[in-house]
Amino acid sequence: MKITVTAEKRDVKGTGASRRLRRNGKVPGILYGNHKDAVSILLDSKTLHQQFHKEAFHASILELSTDGTKESVLLRDYQLEPVKGTILHVDFQRVNQNEKIHVNVPFHFINEDIAKGVKLEGGVISHIMTEVDIACLPKDLPQFIEVDLEDLGLGESVHLSELKLPEGVEITALTEENDPAITSIVKPKVQKADDPLTASEEAGEDDVSDGDSSSEASDESSNEEPKEE
């Protein structure tokens, strides 16, 4: 199901104008690409935040409706307020259906809990990569790439070349010389527990603590200023 983003053209520009728009519940943005002029746009903040938190919003072709004109776009960039996490600005790129696009697509790891190296050999899963850059035509863009870990054993890894890709999709970083691992199953790290204190050591600590507190009390009483008569 395609996500539709509603926008309107924005006439006012500049830092001050953008601040006023945000105070009024709007998010400024820009639309560019596909050999057309860039257009400044304006989006509803509440609606945009609801769509923004969907994974598909970041890795699928969106339908941008600007004053009734609909175009296929990709979310290309955004700025977030560092403390509150609110959206300050968004960039959308127009998509040509006949030209390949480059998009970062997330991995969906499945069967982690029943992976051989976890269930039978006591290992833990280590994710080295969580997304990958792919190239494809817009019609072939997957929202995610599935990685099945059921048969992965302890000490084994899954590499880019082992992924099952949809037809028409290629991984841009994969070459004969470059085939990095994206996930593996490793031995869990063993943490050395501190030796427990003996009863005598605990009693000794209590004695010292009591002595310190009484000493502090005497020091405090000796340091009291004389009352004025």
Side-chain angles (χ1 to χ4, degrees):
M1 181 177 178
K2 183 170 288 188
I3 299 175
T4 300
V5 183
T6 303
E8 56 185 288
K9 290 184 179 179
R10 173 168 54 100
D11 296 325
V12 293
K13 301 178 183 178
T15 303
S18 295
R19 288 174 180 166
R20 289 193 295 272
L21 291 171
R22 295 186 189 105
R23 285 197 296 267
N24 292 324
K26 301 293 183 180
V27 176
I30 190 167
L31 171 65
Y32 65 93
N34 199 21
H35 313 293
K36 297 180 181 180
D37 293 336
V39 177
S40 297
I41 57 176
L42 197 60
L43 304 96
D44 178 72
S45 177
K46 184 177 180 180
T47 303
L48 180 61
H49 272 81
Q50 292 173 345
Q51 296 175 321
F52 184 84
H53 291 292
K54 297 178 181 178
E55 184 182 66
F57 192 77
H58 298 259
S60 63
I61 304 298
L62 309 172
E63 182 180 74
L64 180 66
S65 177
T66 309
D67 294 336
T69 301
K70 297 181 179 180
E71 298 180 88
S72 295
V73 301
L74 280 169
L75 176 67
R76 274 306 186 195
D77 200 5
Y78 55 87
Q79 296 175 8
L80 299 179
E81 201 281 326
V83 178
K84 297 179 180 179
T86 53
I87 305 171
L88 300 178
H89 194 277
V90 287
D91 293 4
F92 292 104
Q93 180 184 2
R94 299 184 185 94
V95 169
N96 186 325
Q97 298 295 335
N98 299 315
E99 294 180 0
K100 283 190 174 184
I101 54 177
H102 288 259
V103 183
N104 279 333
V105 174
F107 292 127
H108 278 195
F109 299 97
I110 64 171
N111 294 324
E112 293 182 316
D113 55 337
I114 62 172
K116 182 176 68 174
V118 173
K119 189 174 181 179
L120 302 179
E121 301 171 287
V124 294
I125 295 172
S126 173
H127 293 315
I128 304 165
M129 300 171 61
T130 57
E131 61 181 14
V132 67
D133 184 79
I134 64 169
C136 64
L137 290 174
K139 68 179 181 64
D140 297 324
L141 177 63
Q143 292 184 7
F144 58 85
I145 296 175
E146 193 172 83
V147 185
D148 192 346
L149 303 182
E150 183 175 0
D151 297 325
L152 194 65
L154 184 65
E156 297 178 344
S157 303
V158 177
H159 291 257
L160 286 179
S161 60
E162 301 174 76
L163 296 176
K164 294 180 180 179
L165 300 175
E167 186 176 353
V169 175
E170 61 182 83
I171 297 176
T172 57
L174 179 61
T175 64
E176 292 184 0
E177 297 79 18
N178 184 49
D179 184 17
I182 64 171
T183 191
S184 61
I185 298 182
V186 299
K187 291 182 179 180
K189 294 181 179 179
V190 179
Q191 294 184 346
K192 190 174 181 180
D194 294 333
D195 294 329
L197 294 174
T198 63
S200 60
E201 288 175 328
E202 290 181 353
E205 287 184 354
D206 291 340
D207 292 340
V208 171
S209 177
D210 292 341
D212 289 344
S213 61
S214 61
S215 174
E216 290 173 0
S218 62
D219 289 343
E220 289 177 358
S221 61
S222 64
N223 292 331
E224 288 182 351
E225 295 182 1
K227 295 182 180 179
E228 294 183 1
E229 296 182 357

